Amino acid sequence: MSKAQKQWIDTAVAALDKAYVPYSKFPVGACLVTEDGKIYQGLNIENASYGLSNCAERTAIFKAVSEGERNFQHLVVAGHTPNPISPCGACRQVIAEFCSPDMVVTLIGDNGVEKEMTVAELLPYSFTDEDL
Ligand code: THU
């Protein structure tokens, strides 16, 4: 693993301690990496009106996109889960909007369990702008 890849994982794992999860107590962390190597950290942010909660992946993507970023090379998602965390369906759709189908996503759980998948593997037969 390169030094950069280790930093991406460390950034996603460090976000777990900053997640705002008073209701679910289920922290999720993310690290989105731009094509030129800039990193955007994401974490889940919940709300007393539960449905307004925002997932870690979407926090990272919205932070990056709102700063003008459009090209990404990697996403790491981390959770305190026995298996590598599984991104929710809504996040898969948002990931597919901004990341190319062959971009690799690293999913991390507790005890260093790790799984790598492409965006297309995470969301096969996705709805895209070509379907409009
Ligand atoms: N959550 C994420 O942040 N990302 C996912 O992909 C799965 C779910 C959050 C939403 C909520 O704050 C908590 O995990 C429990 O569902």
Side-chain angles (χ1 to χ4, degrees), residues 39-59:
I39 60 177
Y40 288 87
Q41 189 182 51
L43 41 88
N44 46 341
I45 304 168
E46 298 184 343
N47 193 282
S49 176
Y50 300 161
L52 300 183
S53 300
N54 202 61
C55 291
E57 301 91 317
R58 280 179 285 148
T59 301

Side-chain angles (χ1 to χ4, degrees), residues 21 24 26 28 44-46 53-57 85-88 91:
V21 289
S24 74
F26 186 87
V28 181
N44 46 341
I45 304 168
E46 298 184 343
S53 300
N54 202 61
C55 291
E57 301 91 317
I85 189 159
S86 174
C88 81
C91 286

Side-chain angles (χ1 to χ4, degrees), residues 33-81:
V33 188
T34 67
E35 216 149 70
D36 55 3
K38 233 168 123 186
I39 60 177
Y40 288 87
Q41 189 182 51
L43 41 88
N44 46 341
I45 304 168
E46 298 184 343
N47 193 282
S49 176
Y50 300 161
L52 300 183
S53 300
N54 202 61
C55 291
E57 301 91 317
R58 280 179 285 148
T59 301
I61 292 169
F62 295 157
K63 279 172 72 177
V65 171
S66 65
E67 292 298 321
E69 306 287 359
R70 290 293 185 276
N71 300 307
F72 304 104
Q73 59 165 304
H74 203 94
L75 174 68
V76 180
V77 190
H80 286 307
T81 45

